[in-house]
Amino acid sequence: MAAAQVAGSLACGPPREPSNGFHRLSARLRALRPDDSSSARTEIHLLFDQLISENYREDGGVAPEDVSALLVQACQLVPLNQNHLVSKVSQLIHHLLNRLQVVVDEQHLDFLLAYTISAVQQCSSWTHMEILQALAALVYCNGSKCQKYLPDLLGKTGLLMKLSDLAQSDPEVRRAAVHCMANLCLSVPGQPYLEEPYQNICFQTFLTTLQTPKSSDMDDITFCMLLQNALKGIQSLLNGKKKKLTQTDELGALLAVLKKTMFHGLPGLNIEMPMVLYPTPLPQYDGRPPVKPQQSESSASRPTMNKKKKYKLKSKKTQQGEEEEEESGGETEVDTSTGRVNVHERNSWCSSSPGAQSSSRDGGGAAGKERDPLPLTSSSWKKVSSSESDYSDAEGDLQGKMRSYQAKVRQGALACFLSTIKSIEKKVLYGYWSAFVPDKPELGSPQSVSLMTLTLKDPSPKTRACALQVLSAILEGSKQFLSVAEDTSDHRRAFTPFSVMIASSIRELHRCLLLALVAESSSQTLTQIIKCLANLVSNAPYNRLKLSLLTKVWNQIKPYIRHKDVNVRVSSLTLLGAIVSTYAPLPEVQLLLQQPCSSGLNNSNSATPHLSAPDWWKKASAGTSLEETSISSPKGSPEPCWLIRLCISTVVLPKEESSSGGEAGSAAGSTFEPAPMRLEALQVLAHLARGYFSVAQVYLMELGEVICKCMGEADPSIQLHGAKLLEELGTGLIQQYKPDSTTALEQRVPVFSVVMFWTMMLNGPLPRALQSSEHPTLQASACDALSSILPEAFGSLPNDRQILCITMLLGLNDSQNRLVKAATSRALGVYVLFPCLRQDVIFVADTANAILTSLQDKSVNVRAKAAWSLGNLTDTLIVNMETPDPSFQEEFSGLLLLKMLRSAIEASKDKDKVKSNAVRALGNLLHFLQPSHIEKPAFAEIIEESIQTLISTILMEAAMKVRWNACYAMGNVFKNPALPLGTAPWTSQAYRALTSVVTSCKNFKVRIRSATALSIPGRREQYGSAEQYAQIWNALVTALQKSEDTTDFLEFKYCASLRTQTCQALVHLLSLASTSDLPCIQETLGLNGHMVRSYILQFLKSGAEGDDPGAAHSPQERGQMVRTALQHISRLQAGGAARGAIVGFLEDILAVHSDSSGSQVALPGPSSQ
């Protein structure tokens, strides 16, 4: 009663001035006192009726605490022995909380919960329905505040457990109890959640409800509402991120019932499902040879055409009913008569975050405005959350009402499935791939039901869109799973390999989605089809599949580029972007890009793109014309790429009059296409520049003008995408001029044209973007773009433009923004490698100081970029050492070298992504040190500390990249003849670290790098004592023995490289051996001579490409190495029997090699992997 007294005192405070009906009626209610007389009961009845029938304003005007206080006062006036009044006050609670969108505060909730629970326990059963509706409204978004009542509600004898039981005689009461339970499970961000035992109780109740068929005493609409509530409850549990579906049986049971429910009420379909779906075991590696099932395109296409025609008729017939159906639930709906949907409306009918979910209760609720990129998670069916909206009979007959409720069940099942997908790992989900994704049916057998069945056959456009969103979620991130797919033409197999099954499924997905694309009339669903296709295209391995899949998608999507709905147009460009970015470059896409401009566009019923004139968009543009730039199509080039022209026109030309007005993303009075269209077009251009640069390069100067125009606009997002496109074009130019480029010289963009391009950029808005401190993301992207200048072109830029670039980057390195600082550090690391700058001592010194400053930054990302740049800068020092002119070494500051060494040592103690480049820099710096530096006392301690840092990094359990770089760095240390290698105390420690790695490291690439480092010293004395030499020799022989010992399948491909590098190191050691080393060598050959001999013969005959670019790879060079070692051993004055044994061993190898290379017979010994 204490709670009642508190609530009563709150309710009976000073009355407000009644400004509307609610305040007037609540003042009358507060004036009443408990009275058991007949007249008092009548008065309370009338007052409750007036409160229920009052026309409350949508915009509120009533404080939530006033509503809560009024409800407490109302309950205090109604004793539990008055069934009719209890029913009426329950209706009042239910109505006010839903109509005014109020979540009861904690201080009033305690009393109201106690009252309603007692009412259920004490009142007649005919009142239970209304009381449970009131209870559902009270617990909505209040689950965390109901903890002390959970035993009464969800305990073994809890009232919700009893009323939701299958034995419950009243189906409406059972449905209302499940509804209460679902609202209890609704999570609110930042608040505690149901304890796990109660979660499991609720989950099991919901699952049992879904598994149980409709009883004879339950009408169809009540059954639909019951299913909706159970689905909503499971979804709330999954969205709370607390319920983990770890048990196979539990997940399988849920997926089985979801598959059955997602087809609930679908005309002409009644499926039977097992109680549990079990996953298909997925192979980790498919070692079987690929088999290709024969598929006749003509035979596959004939049924497709029939199906298309049939569906089109159906969609026309049911379109009007769909509109009425979707309106009936009081939902935001697509206006399919105009084919347009507002972007915000499209995203509002379904949301995913718990916060969004909690605010969906008839438009109100607590907190949370996050939205998931996929709009479906708590979809429109959930908007009737704490109460079930009454269906208006004026909107259709009983059959229409029935169809509406069945569609909402299907939507609820799909929303719940989407939450399930997000709560389990993808590798678990793909075990159920065949249960939900279509496969090509066997000849004579029917098509299995799948998500595509709903997409093609469901009469509700909203349900079709939901099914597509679920399919998109399954396809998202499926690249690794789908990568095993492979087409084959071998149809004689008695079984279908897994790879062929997946390939068949991918083909069927293409067929069904393209069929749906042609048949769809709702713009919203059309958008989802195209997005789903984009997800499929992004993940399917077209390099392993038969041609034509992408061609069909490409040709069918073209008409939609000019669709009247902006969302369809944007998603169409997204799909085209996916096509040109997946596994690029693909020969099939290369051919598609060369199609005539008009191909595929003339059959559209929409506006025809205006891309005909040769100077189609530049007629009004000033500046350098394309003809003046000498960037013409390469010889034999086909006609211009229609996709590039389409994207350029979308970005720079005024929008066409035929497009629908009032589109999302287009500013009032804007003459251009809406911003989403322009951004997507810029992204497609960037994809083309990345994957098909040979196509994009023809338009280099035109694209430069587009970039200048974009970066000169006021919209930062347009500027940002312009900068990204510039970076991609710059990177493409750099790739053309790399030493390993396969692009023929005559097909490359001439350097003078690249200079013109960058001069245009630097004379345009790029410098202004670099200075726009109010938009740091744009600044960072501009820095990235500036770092993509072709080195050969930078030196030919006007002097003032070069100085501008350098000055801007050095200045921006002091930025307080971490994004900008990281991008600047990286750009300086690129510039320091430019041939025209790397011998400029002042620039290198300024860059070094800037990088050292960034290495002290608090952001790990900035430090990682700075460490990478420090590694590049030290690479430049090494390159400058190899030039004949010693002036750079003499002029470079010794104090700066000391600072760099200290900073690199400190960075080597940082996180792995900083450490990997810091140790690389240390190795280069120790290599660069001149005798004049080493002689100074100031350097002695820092050299020792640097080497100890490298030794500890080689031995530590760090990332393999870090250890690889540490071994590489130690090899660089060994290259400096001025360092006392062999006599210094750290020599034995360095060799011990490398020999430990070469024999025992799990990663073979690290072992290879270690073996390479061991073969670098060029003089015998650098290997130290005979014992030290013997240790290194024995370690290399052991490494050769263990070259196939690995449990990691991925390491096997490096076995041959490891053996090659180890053999090279052994031969190198033989060519330097002294007399004192011979007994050790003889002993080892006595024990392992056959193994060493067979591997050296392989090394001589073919070998594998070593890990070190400087290794001798040709058979002639390898043979010369062995002959040099033989000559060296033969010339030793002493050694006796040991020398003779080693000489005989080497002569035998050379003789066998000479014979085998002449006759090409197979060599004995282990085979090369």
Side-chain angles (χ1 to χ4, degrees), residues 268-285:
L269 192 66
N270 184 24
I271 65 168
E272 291 298 324
M273 288 295 297
M275 289 293 285
V276 180
L277 278 179
Y278 289 102
T280 305
L282 301 180
Q284 187 177 6
Y285 305 106

Side-chain angles (χ1 to χ4, degrees), residues 479-535:
K479 196 163 198 168
Q480 186 176 357
F481 171 70
L482 297 181
S483 65
V484 301
E486 186 159 11
D487 268 324
T488 171
S489 55
D490 183 359
H491 57 280
R492 293 169 298 177
R493 296 279 181 149
F495 63 92
T496 303
F498 181 71
S499 58
V500 174
M501 186 194 82
I502 295 298
S504 171
S505 186
I506 291 171
R507 280 198 309 275
E508 185 65 9
L509 274 173
H510 279 79
R511 187 186 72 82
C512 292
L513 284 169
L514 291 177
L515 178 58
L517 184 71
V518 173
E520 189 53 63
S521 56
S522 160
S523 294
Q524 182 186 12
T525 311
L526 201 54
T527 303
Q528 293 301 331
I529 293 171
I530 299 170
K531 285 181 178 178
C532 195
L533 269 169
N535 251 333

